[in-house]
Amino acid sequence: MPEGPELHLASLYVNEACKGLVFAGCVEKSPVSRNPEVPFESSAYCISSSARGKELRLTLSPLPGAQPPQEPLALVFRFGMSGSFQLVPRDALPAHAHLRFYTAPPGPPLALCFVDIRRFGHWDLGGEWQPGRGPCVLLEYEQFRDNVLRNLADKVFDQPICEVLLDQRFFNGIGNYLRAEILYRLKIPPFEKARKVLEELQQRRPSPELTLSQKIRAKLQNPDLLELCHSVPKEVVQLGGKGYGPEHGEEDFAAFRAWLQCYGVPGMSSLRDRRGRTIWFQGDPGPLAPKGGKSRKKKSKGAQQGLEHRLEDPLVPSTAPSRTRGTPRGPPGQSTAQQPEGTSLQQDPEVPPVPGKGKRRRRPATSEGLGSPTWDKLLPDLGNKRATQARPTEPLHPSSRPWLLED
């Protein structure tokens, strides 16, 4: 799933790909997308991009003299589980290109496409960052650090540190693979109470006797958790490419795969947290580990056989309808990082839920009845009474169980 570094890389890609290009006409939305129409049409406009945490802003700016006269329009994208931007020839649009911006002649006809295989991505009109998201861990480090340490009294920090790291009100840009890598480097059990881990940072002060260069060297050699929330995503950005995943090319993904130290790496253990997300770790999971949770260890056999063996959320298309998570508890009353009404940022809103155990549904019967060839073979072995009560069933198609695509 795209996290802060991938959104930042996508923004860099859009700016580089669209440099010098002139776009024209309407913005075209695919008929299957449930996202809003984009009411923008211009005879000549340019496209620019910026990113913040797990959001990307796309700005459409009409050129001087373009018709009809209008103000620039901004869109804010959240990539969900498989969103990305691609610049392609107009006559070779990729599948699942749900929003398309076309270039103007006389140059070669091109299209900038928002491609989203699993359709969990979303865009909003107006250009405002989603209310309630905290400062970006990549671009607003000092504000991010202050926002966390100032709100440690919030009851959310009673939860395990691995779950709090996904709370976008405080850790905007951190996702599943980043939390595993950060905790692994510091040897912090993922199910340790978040407040216990972070309270120590409030008391951490560099010695006044150290010079500036010594203070910098000490930070680089012994970074704390919040510093790693800034530096580890920067490492992913420095890998280059357009992000992670095979659709960006095996070369890009190979570099990312070699960079991973914990997430999906053979020999590491994993557990599901309370929200159904898999956390990878090494050693003791911590005192708040789910009761009855069974740790699974990554086997080395077949570890290089494909993306689905390395990432929790393989980019696999699903034909099943998306499911939405029930609204969790409201925002903390005293926290300055407020949660907008009707929106949960305690976990990425783009992530589909993992359904809990419940009653088994009766499988639908097929159209085959008694007298069909299948039943003719069964009748000699079954009594007539039992045969009339039994019904053959169809196997459930994998697309009816989208959570199976997660592991």
Side-chain angles (χ1 to χ4, degrees):
M1 173 180 173
E3 302 183 15
E6 286 70 49
L7 272 293
H8 188 77
L9 286 167
S11 177
L12 295 177
Y13 168 76
V14 169
N15 287 330
E16 182 64 27
C18 297
K19 184 188 301 182
L21 293 180
V22 176
F23 294 80
C26 299
V27 179
E28 188 174 85
K29 183 178 80 77
S30 71
V32 298
S33 174
R34 297 181 180 180
N35 283 303
E37 295 283 351
V38 179
F40 183 87
E41 182 177 3
S42 177
S43 59
Y45 67 95
C46 61
I47 294 179
S48 60
S49 176
S50 60
R52 180 179 184 267
K54 285 195 176 184
E55 296 181 295
L56 180 147
R57 178 190 288 149
L58 209 64
T59 304
L60 316 180
S61 304
L63 298 179
Q67 298 297 323
Q70 59 184 305
E71 295 296 318
L73 177 68
L75 309 170
V76 171
F77 290 80
R78 291 180 288 280
F79 280 18
M81 300 185 73
S82 58
S84 66
F85 277 97
Q86 297 180 29
L87 184 68
V88 298
R90 182 167 182 162
D91 59 356
L93 298 179
H96 311 287
H98 296 300
L99 199 63
R100 304 179 280 270
F101 309 85
Y102 297 110
T103 58
L110 302 173
L112 179 68
C113 303
F114 177 64
V115 181
D116 186 11
I117 296 174
R118 300 183 72 173
R119 281 190 263 168
F120 289 110
H122 187 76
W123 61 79
D124 291 317
L125 305 178
E128 298 293 330
W129 302 119
Q130 187 180 22
R133 284 185 179 264
C136 175
V137 297
L138 265 170
L139 304 178
E140 302 167 317
Y141 171 69
E142 293 300 334
Q143 300 95 310
F144 150 70
R145 186 180 185 92
D146 178 68
N147 185 50
V148 173
L149 296 181
R150 184 165 33 90
N151 288 286
L152 287 184
D154 192 316
K155 60 184 178 181
V156 72
F157 292 98
D158 291 330
Q159 299 175 14
I161 184 63
C162 67
E163 296 180 7
V164 175
L165 284 172
L166 295 183
D167 192 326
Q168 300 300 292
R169 298 173 300 167
F170 300 104
F171 295 89
N172 186 14
I174 300 298
N176 210 29
Y177 82 78
L178 284 174
R179 68 170 178 171
E181 296 298 317
I182 291 166
L183 295 175
Y184 170 77
R185 294 191 186 191
L186 294 174
K187 296 180 172 55
I188 296 175
F191 292 95
E192 183 63 77
K193 182 182 287 190
R195 186 177 293 106
K196 180 180 178 181
V197 173
L198 295 168
E199 275 181 339
E200 300 175 1
L201 307 188
Q202 289 181 316
Q203 310 301 324
R204 182 178 178 184
R205 295 287 186 276
S207 172
E209 299 179 356
L210 296 178
T211 64
L212 178 60
S213 61
Q214 289 174 329
K215 292 178 182 179
I216 295 175
R217 188 180 303 112
K219 278 192 173 185
L220 294 176
Q221 293 175 349
N222 299 291
D224 61 34
L225 185 141
L226 297 181
E227 288 167 347
L228 285 185
C229 286
H230 172 66
S231 63
V232 172
K234 284 180 65 176
E235 292 178 15
V236 180
V237 173
Q238 291 167 359
L239 293 175
K242 290 177 288 184
Y244 79 122
E247 78 281 7
H248 299 305
E250 177 58 29
E251 183 178 349
D252 285 350
F253 181 61
F256 175 78
R257 181 168 52 196
W259 172 85
L260 291 171
Q261 298 180 33
C262 176
Y263 184 78
V265 172
M268 297 297 163
S269 301
S270 66
L271 279 172
R272 287 196 179 274
D273 62 24
R274 293 182 307 159
R275 295 183 176 89
R277 302 296 302 278
T278 299
I279 174 68
W280 294 88
F281 62 95
Q282 186 179 54
D284 179 23
L288 299 181
K291 294 181 179 179
K294 186 177 181 181
S295 176
R296 297 175 296 171
K297 181 163 286 190
K298 182 74 175 181
K299 298 179 181 179
S300 59
K301 182 180 179 180
Q304 306 295 330
Q305 290 182 354
L307 176 65
E308 58 273 14
H309 296 286
R310 298 302 302 271
L311 296 179
E312 178 185 340
D313 300 320
L315 307 183
V316 180
S318 172
T319 57
S322 63
R323 304 184 181 191
T324 56
R325 184 182 300 279
T327 304
R329 60 183 180 180
Q334 302 300 322
S335 171
T336 57
Q338 291 298 316
Q339 178 182 4
E341 182 177 353
T343 303
S344 172
L345 294 174
Q346 294 186 18
Q347 187 188 7
D348 302 324
E350 304 92 343
V351 178
V354 177
K357 295 182 180 179
K359 295 181 179 180
R360 296 182 62 183
R361 296 182 180 180
R362 181 173 296 178
R363 295 181 178 180
T366 65
S367 58
E368 282 189 329
L370 295 177
S372 67
T374 301
W375 284 99
D376 287 342
K377 295 178 181 179
L378 292 175
L379 283 174
D381 299 325
L382 299 172
N384 288 336
K385 180 179 179 180
R386 186 176 179 184
T388 56
Q389 292 175 346
R391 290 291 185 271
T393 59
E394 294 179 350
L396 287 174
H397 191 275
S399 66
S400 66
R401 295 172 289 178
W403 60 90
L404 294 182
L405 301 175
E406 293 187 359
D407 286 333

